[in-house]
Amino acid sequence: MGFAVVDVETTGLNPRTDRILEIGIVTADGSGRPTGEWSSLVNPGRPVAATVVHGLTDADVADAPPIAEVLPRVTALLAWKVVVAHNAAFDVGFLNMEFARMGLPSIEELDCEITDTLAMAREKFPGQKASLDALCSRLDVDRSKRVLHRALIDCEPVSYTHLTL
């Protein structure tokens, strides 16, 4: 079974009231060899409030496709894979909320197994910082591209830490 590392950037923190702005997915085969990467900006249909986190503005997503046009590709990339995310409850929560709004099956209903590198880090390094930046530092993962949180850029170190932990 292959895996798909996923990250989303959002307008805020609540999947019930906020929306996805960007989705990034890196796929790999069962041995961890990359098989592809994909990302898309998403027009959330509402103002962007978390620009300080990811740098995305209303202008950046104004011409992006709506989530309804993006989700079929997301579904195809995630189905029957191990879905890996750092703080998976956040990313999966947002994706599942968008799937539900569109009447699509949840990630779990796509026969995906969910792996959370945040939980793995907390288990392996109890009492230590478990943020993605802290984990990258601890495992000597290059994070020089991670000036701001962006979906595809955040997938790369998650992929590495998933295989290392």
Side-chain angles (χ1 to χ4, degrees):
M1 178 183 256
F3 65 89
V5 177
V6 64
D7 188 69
V8 299
E9 302 304 332
T10 64
T11 60
L13 299 175
N14 187 336
R16 292 179 189 245
T17 57
D18 294 305
R19 302 302 290 265
I20 292 175
L21 292 171
E22 184 180 35
I23 302 173
I25 299 173
V26 173
T27 56
D29 64 18
S31 65
R33 284 189 305 269
T35 57
E37 61 181 45
W38 173 87
S39 69
S40 179
L41 291 173
V42 177
N43 186 327
R46 65 183 57 209
V48 177
T51 299
V52 69
V53 174
H54 43 61
L56 293 170
T57 65
D58 292 330
D60 293 327
V61 296
D63 294 328
I67 195 72
E69 290 180 23
V70 175
L71 286 183
R73 179 68 189 260
V74 173
T75 301
L77 289 168
L78 299 184
W80 305 290
K81 291 191 177 65
V82 175
V83 174
V84 181
H86 195 78
N87 192 10
F90 181 85
D91 299 286
V92 170
F94 267 92
L95 288 168
N96 278 343
M97 183 59 71
E98 295 292 2
F99 289 156
R101 287 182 181 118
M102 299 301 303
L104 297 171
S106 69
I107 289 178
E108 295 82 359
E109 292 169 326
L110 295 172
D111 290 326
C112 297
E113 176 185 321
I114 299 168
T115 299
D116 186 351
T117 56
L118 176 61
M120 294 169 72
R122 286 180 173 155
E123 184 176 314
K124 186 163 184 167
F125 306 108
Q128 297 183 42
K129 289 184 179 179
S131 70
L132 188 54
D133 282 334
L135 194 54
C136 287
S137 293
R138 194 172 296 117
L139 299 175
D140 293 323
V141 176
D142 178 21
R143 60 180 185 180
S144 59
K145 295 181 200 174
R146 292 190 72 239
V147 177
L148 293 170
H149 290 272
R150 291 297 302 269
L152 197 55
I153 289 171
D154 284 357
C155 286
E156 293 171 18
V158 173
S159 178
Y160 180 81
T161 57
H162 165 250
L163 296 172
T164 305
L165 290 172

